[in-house]
Amino acid sequence: VSGGQGGGQQAAVADDVYQLVRQPINAREIAESVKAPEDGAVVVFDGFVRNSFKGKRTLYLEYEAYEPMAYAKMREIGAQIRASFPIHRLAIWHRLGRLEIGETSVLIAVSSAHRREAFEACRYAIDTLKRAVPIWKKEYFVGGAVWAEGETPSQEAISGPGEST
Amino acid sequence: VRVRVLFFGQLKDIVGVAVEDADLSEGARVEDLFERYGRRFPKLGEFRASIAASVNQEYAGWRAALVLP
């Protein structure tokens, strides 16, 4: 798919990065990794662990994923972005396991020649990731824990509210 | 037919295992599997509207077949 060096907006699909990791995510390193001389903008979304959930003080979180499906869905998001936005490089990282307050859970970095497509692609990536990638979050408090309501497609969303037997 | 059933999040806590195999009749759908587990774990009924299901890594509705042709 490479069209040579001249364009600056050639789809560098082979360079797209999708990672599920259990080690801390290095936001700065990933943001640097998507930059190239022909780019003029990098947009980074850094989602990190908040210290409260529905008014309760959070101690820490645990994330788990259905990993093969999560990778497949992340690659689908990348393909959708490639079809919609003339960006240069894309990196989507999500951390799994136990995370402390303030630690990055999801990091998305998009580079492009100009800012608009990088912003739009990054926004699309995080919004779609939340809905489509099978990852679950458990919030731990003093004296208990709850699974957060996900945004993955519910039966109601797929089958319709009337359809049940 | 035999299918492998994976549970995540809250459902894994309720069922108590992350994975097990289930034997179902030919033509069984997602709803048949859910009903079977609902009998063993009545608490699952509370989550009927909010459960996400997938078959072979694609999101699937109640009527979806468990074994793709």
Side-chain angles (χ1 to χ4, degrees), chain B residues 6-30:
Chain B
L6 308 174
F7 299 95
F8 296 95
Q10 194 136 240
L11 304 185
K12 188 174 72 180
D13 288 355
I14 293 169
V15 174
V17 296
V19 55
E20 68 178 25
D21 289 346
D23 288 306
L24 293 147
S25 52
E26 287 294 326
R29 300 171 189 269
V30 170

Side-chain angles (χ1 to χ4, degrees), chain A residues 64-70 72-73 76 131-134 136 138 146-147 149 152-160 163-165, chain B residues 6-14 30-32 35 47-64:
Chain A
E64 67 171 37
Y66 179 19
E67 295 191 31
M69 182 172 168
K73 291 293 165 189
E76 277 179 26
R131 282 199 305 274
V133 179
W136 293 268
K138 195 171 192 177
V146 297
W147 288 97
E149 282 271 315
T152 44
S154 66
Q155 282 306 322
E156 207 148 84
I158 294 174
S159 303
E163 190 178 348
S164 62
T165 54
Chain B
L6 308 174
F7 299 95
F8 296 95
Q10 194 136 240
L11 304 185
K12 188 174 72 180
D13 288 355
I14 293 169
V30 170
E31 63 191 349
D32 301 320
E35 271 160 32
F47 301 95
R48 187 179 175 90
S50 59
I51 277 174
S54 76
V55 177
N56 294 343
Q57 300 185 24
E58 287 297 338
Y59 291 108
W62 290 125
R63 309 290 294 163

Side-chain angles (χ1 to χ4, degrees), chain A residues 10 19 31 35 39-40 53 70-71 81 103 112 116 124-125 144 146:
Chain A
Q10 302 297 333
Q19 285 291 324
K35 285 186 185 176
D39 298 328
F53 180 73
Y71 273 112
I81 286 174
E103 289 193 303
S112 61
R116 191 168 66 93
Y124 180 88
V146 297

Side-chain angles (χ1 to χ4, degrees), chain A:
Chain A
V1 292
S2 172
Q5 301 300 310
Q9 293 297 297
Q10 302 297 333
V13 178
D15 294 333
D16 290 351
V17 173
Y18 310 101
Q19 285 291 324
L20 299 171
V21 293
R22 291 173 186 279
Q23 307 304 321
I25 290 174
N26 187 330
R28 180 173 301 192
E29 203 169 274
I30 296 165
E32 285 299 319
S33 74
V34 299
K35 285 186 185 176
E38 63 267 37
D39 298 328
V42 172
V43 170
V44 175
F45 175 81
D46 183 343
F48 56 92
V49 179
R50 185 170 44 238
N51 67 3
S52 68
F53 180 73
K54 295 184 175 170
K56 287 194 198 171
R57 197 165 68 85
T58 300
L59 296 175
Y60 61 93
L61 299 187
E62 275 178 11
Y63 282 92
E64 67 171 37
Y66 179 19
E67 295 191 31
M69 182 172 168
Y71 273 112
K73 291 293 165 189
M74 288 195 288
R75 284 191 293 269
E76 277 179 26
I77 292 170
Q80 290 156 5
I81 286 174
R82 290 282 168 204
S84 307
F85 307 102
I87 60 157
H88 184 210
R89 284 189 183 141
L90 169 68
I92 302 178
W93 290 61
H94 206 297
R95 187 156 160 209
L96 303 176
R98 174 173 167 152
L99 279 75
E100 309 298 329
I101 307 299
E103 289 193 303
T104 294
S105 54
V106 56
L107 194 107
I108 297 169
V110 184
S111 64
S112 61
H114 303 286
R115 67 185 180 280
R116 191 168 66 93
E117 47 268 32
F119 270 119
E120 289 176 350
C122 191
R123 175 71 189 259
Y124 180 88
I126 183 60
D127 288 350
T128 312
L129 180 145
K130 287 277 190 176
R131 282 199 305 274
V133 179
I135 293 176
W136 293 268
K137 173 170 77 167
K138 195 171 192 177
E139 301 253 358
Y140 286 82
F141 313 101
V142 175
V146 297
W147 288 97
E149 282 271 315
E151 297 176 31
T152 44
S154 66
Q155 282 306 322
E156 207 148 84
I158 294 174
S159 303
E163 190 178 348
S164 62
T165 54

